[in-house]
Amino acid sequence: MKRQIQIFDTTLRDGEQSPGFSMNVKEKLRLALQLEKLGVDIIEAGFPISSEGDFRAVKEISAAIEKTTIAGLCRARNADIDRAWDALRYAKKPRIHTFIATSDIHMEHKLRKNRSEVLSDAVNAVSHAKQYCNDIEFSAEDATRSDPEFLFEIFEAVISAGATVINVPDTVGYGLPWEFGKLIADIRARVPNIGKAVISAHCHNDLGFGVANSIMAVQNGAGQVECTINGIGERAGNAALEEIVMAMRVRHQEFECDTRVKQEELYPTSQMLTRITGVGVQPNKAIVGDNAFAHEAGIHQDGMLKNPLTYEIMTPQSVGVPENKLVLGKHSGRNALNERLKHLGFDFSRDELNKVYEGFIRIADEKKVVLDEDLVSLSTNGVTEVGNRFVQQDMQRYLNKY
Ligand code: KIV
Ligand code: ZN
């Protein structure tokens, strides 16, 4: 039996707070319902004291969601915690998530507090939250730039005060994978009461290590990872949920753990987020990008047609992408063209195919990608008519369209 890693989705909080990704209450509720369908364990629905909209979103999501834990973020202050609880009290499984910065740079310049003041704020916050519910998460903001000795001390103290999850945020995406893995291992070794809490990783992507650091955390004993759909989040984003989940599935022999996520819901969830926010994912994004399963080079297309395992480590269907896309462009070979033509209902002899291919290459020279409608037009005009006349017509149609 594999160890179950808890997936803590913060798309609606850390993701939503980044520029261009704001959502209204209705949109957040729609996405929360899809996240539950996806099978995440915890949905961080917002930061209730930060705005009326966040408060309402946390409250409505709490009331609507059946099985998933709902978390609300709050600073280590009683007023924040009280406000969060006013929204979370409607949840079947509420979690209060309180945080305070622990790095010298944050404590000195942002909080203007010394270590003992921060430690006592953290303990007071956890004790205050504990009167409302049992499930309390404590985050040491900027943990990767904090003195590890202070981290061990504060984690021990908040666990004694009742924290059930201790989160280790790489707030500024500074950690390197081996360092982050070691930090998690050291926390396990050096915090005497660590057995009473789950260790969580929250990794940002400023150096592109968000997912790698999360994986290293899991391999060193973390029981929860915090991540977002499409990797959205502050600055360069948070660790991408779909990448973490699929790393554990595709390379399952390397992992003694797994998640409850239904992988076929990954693409539909990514698409829903894109439609709601109007912000598309980069085409080459792993798992959910438009090109993640697209093959244009002739050699790749030929290999794919002979056996998809030649160039694909997972099938598009396995993550909910409707179909495998062979993108037809000037690098494509006859084999791939013929395969697409068959899908479109054409069955050409070798000679006919050669003529269609000639016309196809001419279009492909002018356009980046040859669409199905171009192929239908090219083929139904009669293979004997394939030539300049057709290409000119097609180009005209193309130019009119765009
Ligand atoms: O990045 C961060 O430190 C956070 C905390 C509030 C968990 O988002
Ligand atoms: Zn964050």
Side-chain angles (χ1 to χ4, degrees), residues 18-194:
S18 57
F21 288 95
S22 60
M23 296 172 230
N24 63 34
V25 175
K26 233 172 108 191
E27 290 166 338
K28 286 187 179 180
L29 185 56
R30 242 179 87 207
L31 194 64
L33 290 165
Q34 175 61 27
L35 290 169
E36 174 153 80
K37 194 167 170 202
L38 175 67
V40 306
D41 300 282
I42 301 107
I43 296 172
E44 186 163 53
F47 189 173
I49 206 166
S50 69
S51 72
E52 189 52 38
D54 257 42
F55 177 82
R56 277 188 41 228
V58 176
K59 184 173 166 183
E60 292 199 16
I61 290 169
S62 294
I65 291 292
E66 291 292 321
K67 298 190 202 100
T68 315
T69 297
I70 306 300
L73 185 69
C74 26
R75 289 165 297 187
R77 296 180 185 182
N78 290 356
D80 280 38
I81 294 166
D82 297 341
R83 184 76 175 146
W85 181 249
D86 277 347
L88 287 169
R89 66 192 328 151
Y90 300 93
K92 302 226 165 29
K93 295 186 193 169
R95 174 181 293 184
I96 295 175
H97 178 191
T98 184
F99 74 98
I100 193 162
T102 51
S103 65
D104 288 340
I105 188 163
H106 276 235
M107 291 189 290
E108 188 184 332
H109 298 284
K110 188 180 80 175
L111 300 176
R112 298 186 200 284
K113 289 189 172 180
N114 61 34
R115 289 186 184 194
S116 68
E117 289 168 318
V118 165
L119 191 131
S120 99
D121 282 359
V123 169
N124 289 341
V126 170
S127 311
H128 187 71
K130 202 70 184 176
Q131 67 179 306
Y132 293 129
C133 65
N134 184 48
D135 192 354
I136 310 293
E137 173 167 335
F138 170 77
S139 285
E141 190 189 10
D142 206 16
T144 45
R145 294 191 301 167
S146 303
D147 174 356
E149 295 299 325
F150 182 49
L151 268 189
F152 306 147
E153 189 186 345
I154 200 164
F155 283 150
E156 181 181 356
V158 294
I159 293 170
S160 295
T164 46
V165 180
I166 53 121
N167 186 33
V168 187
D170 186 18
T171 304
V172 290
Y174 179 74
L176 299 171
W178 53 92
E179 282 174 357
F180 197 67
K182 180 171 183 306
L183 179 59
I184 301 295
D186 289 347
I187 289 168
R188 278 182 79 195
R190 297 284 311 281
V191 176
N193 52 1
I194 196 65

Side-chain angles (χ1 to χ4, degrees), residues 10 13-14 17 169-171 202-204 226 234 238:
T10 183
R13 199 280 296 170
D14 219 340
Q17 76 189 42
D170 186 18
T171 304
H202 175 110
C203 301
H204 279 268
E226 305 198 352
E234 285 282 352
N238 288 61

